């Protein structure tokens, strides 16, 4: 094998050229603004002496555009949620010995924007975090940060993730599933299934995030409205029993650069006062932490901390996740640790829990971004 072939096989750019990183964000999901905010933080953190960076936004309609490298424009600010600039130049990712970006200005000859060595897909929710974008990148033979097609799809669908976790012996929150055809044909039977969980319950889109579309239901009379609200974001609805008095714990997981088992961060705890019924979108992204208390590290004994970290890594491995994940737990009042969900592209602003947990573990934001890009550059494309 020649030196050039070895370079291409390793994912590294040819000598004399910095790795070219495409930051892809926005997208068609309800988490568009969160994705933009995440991208702004990553753009600000990446070392331009080490990487060439290309920001690419996906509009709410699904058009790919060349974005300006202006991280501050993408921040979530009081009264304003960021979004991709629809006036940007349309771009496509062509499969030509790896990813090649091509601009498509109306009435102009398509222009080459250069090769992409790795994509940092900072999309949250359906049509980005769920394996759809990952599949496109696999077809284009382009390396990318984070989980592959299957792990992304399973983790995004809370129903199937629970099935995998249960098969691996993890205790999960009791739940029932409401499919659109079931709700339309026999809502009374669906309501009976929910009632078997006991009230209160949480009604949520099965494939969503950032607590969008979630309702806490304490009165059975409010169930129909909650289901219909969730169906605005996903026709498939998951209903979970409320774990009253539970503590909410989170743990970050990343792969190591030198192989071996994935590593777990310190464990964090989320506490909030009576202003919120649960850790919803406003509490996560708009609260100034007046009503939310994020404890790093969580006040747990050594044995329980070790159990959370071990569960987090085992869940990461059970789903075949690559790169990174945030794993969420409930600690019930009787001391039972329940696996809630796993996020393969968690919120990634400096104020989000995932990077904060790693900063508390000794890996600051910029170093974390660099670590994930290096993992992606070293990982082969295709089946593995």
């Amino acid at each position: 094998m020649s030196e050039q072939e070895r370079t291409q096989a390793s994912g590294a750019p040819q000598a004399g050229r910095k790795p070219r990183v495409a930051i892809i964000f926005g997208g068609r999901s309800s988490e568009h603004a969160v994705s933009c905010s995440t991208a702004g933080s990553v753009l600000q953190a990446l070392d331009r002496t080490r990487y060439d960076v290309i920001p690419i936004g996906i509009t709410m309609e699904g058009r790919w555009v060349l974005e300006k490298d202006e991280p501050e424009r993408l921040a979530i600010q009081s009264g304003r949620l960021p979004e991709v600039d629809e006036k940007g130049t349309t771009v496509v990712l062509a499969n030509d010995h790896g990813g090649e970006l091509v601009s498509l200005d109306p009435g102009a000859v398509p222009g080459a924007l250069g090769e992409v060595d790795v994509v940092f897909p900072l999309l949250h929710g359906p049509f980005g975090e769920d394996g759809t974008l990952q599949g496109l990148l696999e077809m284009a033979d382009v390396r990318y940060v984070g989980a592959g097609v299957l792990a992304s799809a399973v983790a995004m669908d809370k129903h199937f993730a629970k099935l995998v976790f249960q098969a691996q012996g993890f205790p999960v929150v009791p739940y029932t599933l409401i499919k659109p055809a079931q709700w339309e044909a026999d809502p009374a039977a669906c309501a009976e299934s929910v009632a078997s969980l006991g009230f209160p319950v949480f009604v949520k889109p099965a494939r969503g995030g950032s607590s969008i579309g979630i309702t806490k239901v304490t009165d059975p009379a409010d169930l129909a409205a909650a289901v219909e609200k969730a169906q605005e974001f996903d026709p498939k609805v998951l209903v979970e029993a409320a774990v009253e008095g539970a503590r909410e714990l989170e743990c970050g997981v990343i792969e190591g650069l030198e192989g071996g088992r994935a590593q777990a961060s310190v464990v964090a705890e989320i506490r909030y006062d009576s202003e919120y019924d649960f850790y919803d979108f406003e509490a996560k992204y708009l609260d100034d932490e007046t009503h939310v208390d994020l404890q790093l590290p969580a006040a747990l004994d050594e044995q329980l901390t070790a159990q959370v970290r071990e569960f987090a890594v085992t869940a990461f491995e059970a789903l075949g996740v690559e790169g990174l994940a945030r794993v969420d737990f409930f600690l019930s009042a009787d001391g039972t640790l329940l696996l809630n969900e796993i996020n393969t592209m968690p919120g990634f602003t400096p104020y989000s829990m995932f990077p904060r947990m790693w900063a508390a573990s000794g890996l600051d934001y910029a170093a974390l971004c660099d670590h994930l890009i290096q993992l992606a550059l070293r990982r082969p494309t295709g089946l593995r």
Side-chain angles (χ1 to χ4, degrees):
M1 181 182 289
S2 69
E3 182 61 34
Q4 182 178 3
E5 290 172 327
R6 279 193 294 270
T7 298
Q8 291 174 344
S10 69
Q14 295 182 9
R17 184 171 69 79
K18 292 182 289 187
R20 205 159 201 227
V21 182
I23 306 296
I24 300 182
F25 60 95
R28 294 169 51 200
S29 86
S30 58
E31 297 178 78
H32 182 100
V34 179
S35 173
C36 290
S37 178
T38 290
S41 300
V42 173
L43 285 170
Q44 200 163 32
L46 289 185
D47 183 353
R48 306 313 168 90
T49 67
R50 298 194 61 190
Y51 302 110
D52 283 330
V53 180
I54 304 176
I56 299 174
I58 300 179
T59 70
M60 288 292 291
E61 291 71 37
R63 188 165 68 92
W64 291 38
V65 300
L66 192 62
E67 268 277 4
K68 295 177 181 178
D69 192 357
E70 298 176 351
E72 63 282 354
R73 191 187 73 78
L74 298 173
I76 292 179
Q77 299 174 354
S78 178
R80 186 188 73 84
L81 295 176
E83 60 183 86
V84 170
D85 184 2
E86 296 182 357
K87 298 178 181 178
T89 298
T90 299
V91 296
V92 296
L93 185 65
N95 182 6
D96 184 15
H97 307 293
E100 183 84 14
L101 287 173
V102 179
S103 65
L104 298 175
D105 274 319
V109 176
L113 298 175
E115 186 178 351
V116 172
D117 297 298
V118 63
V119 167
F120 207 143
L122 295 170
L123 291 101
H124 303 301
F127 315 114
E129 188 184 347
D130 60 350
T132 50
L133 178 60
Q134 290 74 13
L136 184 152
L137 296 173
E138 292 284 359
M139 291 179 66
D141 199 29
V142 178
R143 289 168 169 80
Y144 55 92
V145 171
V149 175
L150 179 62
S152 297
V154 173
M156 187 80 258
D157 190 313
K158 296 177 179 65
H159 169 227
F160 283 103
K162 286 181 183 291
L163 294 178
V164 173
F165 294 148
Q166 289 175 303
Q168 294 293 315
F170 287 109
V172 301
V173 178
Y175 69 96
T176 189
L177 187 71
I178 299 178
K179 295 181 179 180
Q182 294 172 324
W183 181 251
E184 184 177 350
D186 196 349
C190 294
E192 185 177 344
S193 177
V194 171
S196 70
L197 298 173
F199 286 90
V201 295
F202 286 96
V203 180
K204 58 182 66 176
R207 294 161 292 192
S210 296
S211 298
I212 295 172
I214 297 179
T215 305
K216 183 177 182 179
V217 177
T218 57
D219 186 337
D222 298 328
L223 177 63
V227 170
E228 288 164 10
K229 178 181 177 180
Q231 286 182 329
E232 292 176 11
F233 303 95
D234 186 353
K236 182 178 174 181
V237 175
L238 190 77
V239 183
E240 294 177 329
V243 186
E244 294 295 332
R247 298 169 66 180
E248 297 188 27
L249 307 176
E250 298 187 349
C251 185
V253 181
I254 57 174
E255 286 186 288
L257 289 174
E258 306 305 323
R261 266 199 113 188
Q263 305 164 9
S265 71
V266 300
V267 180
E269 180 173 3
I270 301 166
R271 294 185 176 182
Y272 41 87
D273 62 24
S274 58
E275 179 73 13
Y276 299 108
D277 285 332
F278 60 97
Y279 195 40
D280 63 11
F281 182 89
E282 183 177 348
K284 287 180 178 179
Y285 301 107
L286 304 179
D287 194 280
D288 59 4
E289 298 193 14
T290 301
H291 303 285
V292 178
D293 181 18
L294 306 178
Q295 295 194 344
L296 277 166
L300 305 172
D301 62 44
E302 290 186 11
Q303 182 177 356
L304 187 52
T305 297
Q307 183 184 9
V308 172
R309 297 178 76 219
E310 174 62 24
F311 269 32
V313 172
T314 305
F316 185 93
E317 295 171 339
L319 259 64
V321 181
E322 297 167 287
L324 73 158
R326 192 194 74 234
V327 189
D328 301 346
F329 299 89
F330 290 118
L331 180 63
S332 67
D334 66 4
T336 302
L337 189 61
L338 301 168
L339 179 53
N340 182 28
E341 62 181 277
I342 184 167
N343 293 268
T344 55
M345 186 50 71
F348 213 95
T349 72
Y351 309 103
S352 301
M353 285 301 292
F354 181 80
R356 287 175 68 164
M357 287 187 289
W358 280 108
S361 305
L363 194 63
D364 66 31
Y365 191 90
L368 178 60
C369 292
D370 180 71
H371 180 97
L372 295 172
I373 290 172
Q374 289 300 316
L375 278 172
L377 285 168
R378 297 182 186 197
R379 189 172 80 189
T381 57
L383 299 177
R384 50 191 179 274

